[in-house]
Amino acid sequence: MPSDEALLAQLREAVGAAHVLTGKRATRRYRKGYRFGDGPVLAVVRPGTLLALWRVLEATVQAGRIVLMQAANTGLTGGSTPDGDDYDRGIVLVSTQRLAGVQVIEDGRQVVCLPGATLDVLEKTLAPLGREPHSVIGSSCIGASVLGGVCNNSGGALVRRGPAYTELALYAQVGDDGVLRLVNHLGIALGDTPEEILTRLQAGDYTATDIARDADRAASDRGYAAHVRQVDAPTPARYNADPSRLHEASGCAGRLAVFAVRLDTFEKDEAAVFYIGSNDPDDLTAVRRHLLTAFERLPISGEYLHRDAFDIGDRYGKDTFLLIDRFGTDRVPAAFALKSRIDGWCERWGLRGLSDRVLQAVSGWLPDHLSPRLRDFRARYEHHLLLKVSAQDAGATRDFLDRFFAGREGAFFACDADEGRKAFLHRFAVAGAAVRYREVHRDAVEDIVALDVALRRDDRDWVETLPPALADTMVARLYYGHFFCHVFHQDYIVRRGTDPLAVEHALWKLLDARGAEYPAEHNVGHLYHAKPQLAAFYRGLDPTNTFNPGIGQTSKRADWKE
């Protein structure tokens, strides 16, 4: 087995010395997860071409080291970072951020995305064509990658589109003989050798005649719209380990080195937004069931927000809201990267959380960012639903809501364009608010237990009731999520002195009893156990356990040794 220095020399030759990072300080922003995950690495390597990526993989596999592929490092379960220091081989963390590229094909009906392509850039690329990608809100704001979503079967807020999914991908795989091979299932004729295939792909050196139109290979989850309408089905609509949505790159969780994916795009739909409030969760259940079954077109999105989540997002997500509102999503990835560097400096001086405390203090002096009508509904109602529908369905939706809420305590209002945009932006800001709360209140908070949960489609008792003893272990609870898909994000801020792992395991038992599946869209990472079928999928993709070992709390050792 080559020495570490010999391997580092090969990596520097492949990508240039400036793009091989070693040492704790230089590698921190890559090996430390956004919310969870950390551990030592031999090096962080940042290839600038697809061919250089192939050379890095060749050198690392031949040296018998671990390959850990990372896109934007925006995951919430540590799935693209190391997990501790108990691996049996050194880790080469490969960052794909320099490998950006979106290639529009089929008159905009499809795209080919390279490893560093972000959802934000993809959305902007398609906008002039009147098209949209799979996801248009949420993780796109913090620079999440397209391939990261596919590899984790990520969900998103859009009811009609389901999880990110494709059967058309170009990837590298290590066989059970230990040999690295390039597999072209992209449906584009690019040549025969890795050198030719990767060089031509990066340059976009292919024509319409090179593109196969294989009806047997899907570039999106074509059956989800019908699937989510089945509101009386006793199973969840979507979750990461669903066997029907595990296919090669889709759901691989880094067990393959994915060079490109081919995806469908979607016609952009003019929208209308309604804001709904009620103190009776049965009201929202009835609205969900009716809109999923009675209308020709599904709603575009329906986002749930509990009043407690509204409040914490209002206070601790305000600066994120204003950053996006004033400067757009373009500035957000750079702002998050700068904050990560500052946090690294602060930690070295024993000042963990300083940047969060400063930002929180500053945000208190900034002007109010929410409309009076949102404030009024917050005061009146515990349960909030942000409903976005096609503009052509706005009249029928309003008529239904008028009839439904006549004589009921709940109510709704139609948002103007700015109000609707800000309502959804506030819902997004909630997702990072728990992290800010933890850093500002370290004296009272042990940690966050963050679950993303897929409830049964027929579950009418979706409001969680915890045993008092378990509830007492928490400072606060945040409930929000994709209501029409019955996927909920549940953040539990655990009281100081409490074991978060014990709390999490207790919550799992309650979810199991309800027939829920978890995780629903952030994937197992290093937080969840991969169920047997998912673990078998990983093992089939990566029989030598070279790529991202330990995911789903599986073996970290070569050849899957215990």
Side-chain angles (χ1 to χ4, degrees):
M1 181 179 291
S3 67
D4 287 350
E5 283 306 316
L7 175 57
L8 290 172
Q10 287 183 279
L11 298 175
R12 291 181 181 116
E13 183 179 356
V15 304
H19 297 293
V20 178
L21 311 179
T22 59
K24 290 183 178 180
R25 292 176 61 179
T27 61
R28 179 193 179 277
R29 61 175 292 202
Y30 300 94
R31 60 178 173 77
K32 187 175 179 64
Y34 172 65
R35 185 182 278 184
F36 176 85
D38 196 0
V41 297
L42 172 62
V44 171
V45 184
R46 305 187 302 167
T49 67
L50 297 179
L51 186 55
L53 171 56
W54 174 256
R55 300 298 187 213
V56 168
L57 298 176
E58 281 188 313
T60 307
V61 170
Q62 289 172 5
R65 304 309 200 275
I66 289 169
V67 175
L68 203 168
M69 300 293 293
Q70 183 185 93
N73 195 17
T74 58
L76 301 182
T77 59
S80 60
T81 58
D83 177 45
D85 58 2
D86 56 341
Y87 296 85
D88 62 343
R89 299 149 287 165
I91 297 173
V92 174
L93 193 159
V94 182
S95 170
T96 62
Q97 287 186 303
R98 296 179 65 217
L99 299 172
V102 173
Q103 299 171 4
V104 178
I105 63 174
E106 302 288 81
D107 298 322
R109 294 188 302 276
Q110 289 188 333
V111 289
V112 173
C113 294
L114 302 189
T118 65
L119 288 165
D120 182 57
V121 169
L122 177 57
E123 184 178 349
K124 288 178 170 61
T125 300
L126 293 174
L129 305 176
R131 309 287 294 183
E132 289 181 333
H134 165 266
S135 297
V136 296
I137 190 65
S139 56
S140 58
C141 293
I142 57 175
S145 74
V146 177
L147 267 67
V150 171
C151 292
N152 289 297
N153 275 350
S154 298
L158 302 180
V159 179
R160 304 169 180 176
R161 299 177 193 174
Y165 180 79
T166 187
E167 297 168 4
L168 298 163
L170 175 68
Y171 58 87
Q173 181 176 33
V174 177
D176 55 12
D177 57 0
V179 175
L180 182 74
R181 296 178 177 86
L182 188 66
V183 180
N184 184 5
H185 287 168
L186 200 58
I188 302 176
L190 294 165
D192 299 315
T193 67
E195 290 77 10
E196 184 182 8
I197 292 170
L198 298 174
T199 302
R200 287 185 59 191
L201 176 61
Q202 182 135 26
D205 180 18
Y206 55 89
T207 66
T209 58
D210 296 317
I211 301 172
R213 294 160 184 84
D214 188 349
D216 293 333
R217 284 187 174 266
S220 62
D221 188 347
R222 298 168 180 169
Y224 187 75
H227 185 72
V228 76
R229 286 186 185 273
Q230 298 170 16
V231 295
D232 291 314
T235 56
R238 57 177 170 90
Y239 57 99
N240 289 126
D242 185 347
S244 68
R245 297 185 178 94
L246 298 175
H247 183 88
E248 297 176 353
S250 295
C252 74
R255 291 293 188 169
L256 302 170
V258 184
F259 286 79
V261 295
R262 180 173 157 188
L263 298 166
D264 289 332
T265 69
F266 304 87
E267 187 175 355
K268 190 171 184 177
D269 203 351
E270 293 300 317
V273 175
F274 297 91
Y275 199 97
I276 300 169
S278 179
N279 291 317
D280 185 351
D282 289 343
D283 285 350
L284 301 194
T285 297
V287 169
R288 169 181 172 267
R289 292 175 64 87
H290 181 83
L291 292 179
L292 286 180
T293 58
F295 279 52
E296 178 184 352
R297 281 171 296 275
L298 286 170
I300 296 172
S301 60
E303 293 293 286
Y304 171 74
L305 192 60
H306 187 271
R307 178 158 53 196
D308 292 346
F310 184 110
D311 290 345
I312 289 181
D314 179 19
R315 182 172 180 183
Y316 296 95
K318 182 178 180 179
D319 55 322
T320 298
F321 179 107
L322 291 173
L323 173 67
I324 298 171
D325 185 46
R326 301 294 171 84
F327 299 105
T329 57
D330 290 342
R331 305 288 182 87
V332 177
F336 272 69
L338 175 60
K339 182 179 180 298
S340 178
R341 287 194 291 272
I342 293 172
D343 287 342
W345 298 333
C346 291
E347 286 178 14
R348 289 199 297 275
W349 291 95
L351 298 172
R352 176 174 176 174
L354 178 62
S355 67
D356 284 284
R357 291 192 293 273
V358 170
L359 288 170
Q360 190 59 34
V362 170
S363 69
W365 294 93
L366 298 175
D368 193 2
H369 57 300
L370 300 179
S371 74
R373 289 203 290 186
L374 263 65
R375 296 272 180 216
D376 175 58
F377 265 51
R378 179 262 163 227
R380 292 164 59 189
Y381 301 116
E382 180 181 2
H383 303 288
H384 299 224
L385 178 62
L386 289 65
L387 175 62
K388 183 181 292 186
V389 301
S390 298
Q392 56 192 318
D393 292 327
T397 302
R398 181 194 291 270
D399 289 346
F400 161 68
L401 293 175
D402 276 332
R403 293 193 307 272
F404 181 81
F405 284 109
R408 296 176 186 260
E409 182 186 1
F412 77 97
F413 62 87
C415 298
D416 61 36
D418 188 62
E419 195 172 37
R421 180 182 63 83
K422 288 183 176 180
F424 275 90
L425 182 52
H426 175 53
R427 154 63 186 89
F428 165 71
V430 171
V435 176
R436 169 65 56 77
Y437 188 102
R438 177 186 64 187
E439 296 305 317
V440 172
H441 299 285
R442 275 283 172 185
D443 57 336
V445 174
E446 187 68 30
D447 209 343
I448 301 167
V449 172
L451 303 180
D452 54 296
V453 178
L455 299 183
R456 304 186 327 268
R457 283 167 283 175
D458 66 346
D459 192 346
R460 295 172 181 264
D461 297 323
W462 51 270
V463 177
E464 183 175 66
T465 302
L466 296 180
L470 184 57
D472 287 346
T473 67
M474 303 165 188
V475 176
R477 288 176 276 163
L478 284 70
Y479 295 95
Y480 54 101
H482 315 307
F483 187 65
F484 285 85
C485 299
H486 251 201
V487 167
F488 292 84
H489 300 288
Q490 302 178 179
D491 295 344
Y492 307 87
I493 304 176
V494 178
R495 196 178 303 279
R496 191 75 174 173
T498 302
D499 180 4
L501 190 60
V503 170
E504 185 168 24
H505 289 177
L507 292 166
W508 289 354
K509 290 181 180 179
L510 296 175
L511 292 171
D512 290 340
R514 298 172 65 188
E517 291 281 355
Y518 51 89
E521 59 184 19
H522 291 153
N523 219 339
V524 290
H526 290 289
L527 286 180
Y528 299 90
H529 285 281
K531 293 185 176 180
Q533 197 160 12
L534 181 60
F537 175 66
Y538 292 158
R539 192 161 186 160
L541 293 178
D542 184 19
T544 63
N545 211 17
T546 295
F547 288 100
N548 210 4
I551 286 294
Q553 301 186 22
T554 57
S555 171
K556 293 181 178 179
R557 300 187 177 278
D559 300 315
W560 295 84
K561 295 174 183 175
E562 292 300 326

